[in-house]
Amino acid sequence: MEHRTLIVAANGRVASRVAARLAAAGDPPDVLVRDAAKAQRVLVDEHGRPAYRDLFVGELANDETMRRAMSRAAVGFLAVGSSPAQADLERQVIDAARQASLGHLVKLSAALAAHDAVSSVLRVHAEIEDYLAESQIPHTLISPTSFMDLVLVGAAFIREKGRWTGTAPDGVNALIDSEDVVDAVVQVLRDPAQRGGTHLLTGPDALSWPDVARAISAVTGRTIVYDAVSTRERRHQLENAGLPAWRIDLLLGIDELNRHSVYRTPNDSVRQLTGHPPRGIEDFLRRHFAVLAPPEVPPSR
Ligand SMILES: NC(=O)c1ccc[n+]([C@@H]2O[C@H](COP(=O)([O-])OP(=O)(O)OC[C@H]3O[C@@H](n4cnc5c(N)ncnc54)[C@H](OP(=O)(O)O)[C@@H]3O)[C@@H](O)[C@H]2O)c1
């Protein structure tokens, strides 16, 4: 059997960075994408060279292309974006992995996925995790808390108005920098000793959204106000903004994770797995300073 790594849906935010890290380490993965033109933009290094070995173009389906890609791989990585189709798509990939006798599948899930969770994201992942367990495919779950990157969803409003709206003024979340998720996935893909079971990954600090607003204020040197509104009012705002119902449920569900402090407890998993401490919120905000601060504001030191 070849020792190739296959990244499925490799154009994704997490997956493309995993591919880049593996390529930079001299071990480029095979990649499967649905959009070859996007791969030419996101799956290249700074010199424009491909960050992959072989490129497969196909859907997230149990089809010939998927099975051919898997038949060459010893391990696969699966990270599918949220949508109403997510569970079905991941089930198709799991079916293909079983038919192709894939040796190991690493799946990006979410911490504390459960059928009765307060967030739709966790309920969807619980469904997929069950399916994966029933498939008997050897697998590893990468299960992070909410990403710090969620701040960027409201970045334009924060930059323009100095305000940020949500429904969770109370409650905390040990938010994780998605860079740490990428580092953890790379470790698991490169080191078979790290595979199996669930890696529940957290950031270093349990933060409320107003804590994050204060951190943005400190980094940008401008007061950012967290406007707390009721869930009903927020739903109304998001409907008026034209968001589809599933995305509104997803965003409100993420606030529910904070309101219930579901991710209240930071752990040491990132350090144990990657050898470095988890990145903190200030580090994250400094790296994304340009999208959060008005153009004239220099970064605070
Ligand atoms: N954000 C958080 O706070 C958080 C926390 C914990 C866990 N997670 C989990 O992390 C995962 C998201 O990771 P990410 O941000 O890297 O994902 P992403 O960039 O939004 O999407 C990953 C890939 O999914 C593909 N995809 C989506 N719908 C598809 C479809 N209908 N057919 C084929 N491909 C499709 C996309 O393809 P294209 O590139 O072609 O569009 C993309 O390449 C989710 O499962 C989420 O639950 C997120």
Side-chain angles (χ1 to χ4, degrees):
M1 151 133 23
E2 294 203 60
H3 293 278
R4 295 186 185 218
T5 298
L6 172 69
I7 302 188
V8 176
N11 281 337
R13 284 177 293 248
V14 171
S16 58
R17 284 179 284 161
V18 169
R21 298 279 172 84
L22 292 174
D27 192 13
D30 287 350
V31 295
L32 185 140
V33 301
R34 63 173 166 174
D35 181 345
K38 184 174 176 184
Q40 301 315 315
R41 296 193 305 277
V42 304
L43 288 171
V44 289
D45 69 14
E46 68 271 24
H47 306 293
R49 290 183 299 239
Y52 52 82
R53 200 163 159 185
D54 286 337
L55 172 72
F56 295 84
V57 180
E59 294 301 319
L60 294 179
N62 178 11
D63 64 8
E64 157 56 25
T65 306
M66 178 72 74
R67 290 192 298 271
R68 192 155 46 86
M70 286 181 167
S71 66
R72 304 220 212 141
V75 59
F77 175 55
L78 177 63
V80 179
S82 297
S83 83
Q86 181 178 2
D88 271 348
L89 293 170
E90 293 205 39
R91 277 194 288 257
Q92 295 257 345
V93 176
I94 291 165
D95 286 347
R98 194 180 49 230
Q99 283 184 25
S101 302
L102 183 69
H104 197 96
L105 184 64
V106 178
K107 168 182 156 51
L108 179 57
S109 189
L112 307 178
H115 295 286
D116 60 351
V118 293
S119 144
S120 59
V121 176
L122 273 56
R123 296 194 295 272
V124 167
H125 279 299
E127 214 181 297
I128 305 164
E129 287 184 8
D130 282 357
Y131 197 78
L132 183 52
E134 284 160 19
S135 77
Q136 311 266 323
I137 298 165
H139 61 274
T140 305
L141 299 174
I142 303 288
S143 300
T145 55
S146 307
F147 294 177
M148 293 175 184
D149 312 52
L150 289 167
V151 172
L152 304 180
V153 173
F157 201 75
I158 292 170
R159 190 177 59 239
E160 281 161 31
K161 312 270 188 213
R163 309 187 83 86
W164 178 21
T165 307
T167 65
D170 304 310
V172 292
N173 189 327
L175 299 169
I176 188 166
D177 189 327
S178 66
E179 281 292 297
D180 288 333
V181 178
V182 171
D183 289 348
V185 172
V186 168
Q187 276 305 315
V188 172
L189 291 175
R190 299 199 76 202
D191 180 2
Q194 305 292 355
R195 295 188 200 149
T198 301
H199 291 289
L200 197 163
L201 306 175
T202 81
D205 304 302
L207 301 168
S208 66
W209 290 137
D211 289 337
V212 175
R214 280 187 282 278
I216 303 172
S217 305
V219 167
T220 61
R222 178 171 82 130
T223 302
I224 305 298
V225 177
Y226 183 83
D227 290 318
V229 297
S230 69
T231 300
R232 196 170 159 185
E233 188 177 345
R234 187 65 182 145
R235 180 176 290 281
H236 212 63
Q237 289 174 354
L238 295 170
E239 282 168 355
N240 286 341
L243 269 68
W246 70 267
R247 183 140 176 85
I248 295 173
D249 285 342
L250 182 142
L251 292 172
L252 293 175
I254 290 167
D255 267 5
E256 289 301 311
L257 293 171
N258 275 48
R259 282 152 61 89
H260 291 82
S261 297
V262 171
Y263 299 148
R264 70 175 73 85
T265 313
N267 68 26
D268 205 33
S269 51
V270 167
R271 188 195 304 269
Q272 284 171 15
L273 199 49
T274 68
H276 65 69
R279 295 164 170 92
I281 190 73
E282 280 83 9
D283 180 318
F284 174 86
L285 295 173
R286 287 210 169 84
R287 290 201 327 273
H288 295 279
F289 178 83
V291 293
L292 290 165
E296 70 277 10
V297 179
S300 69
R301 296 271 162 221

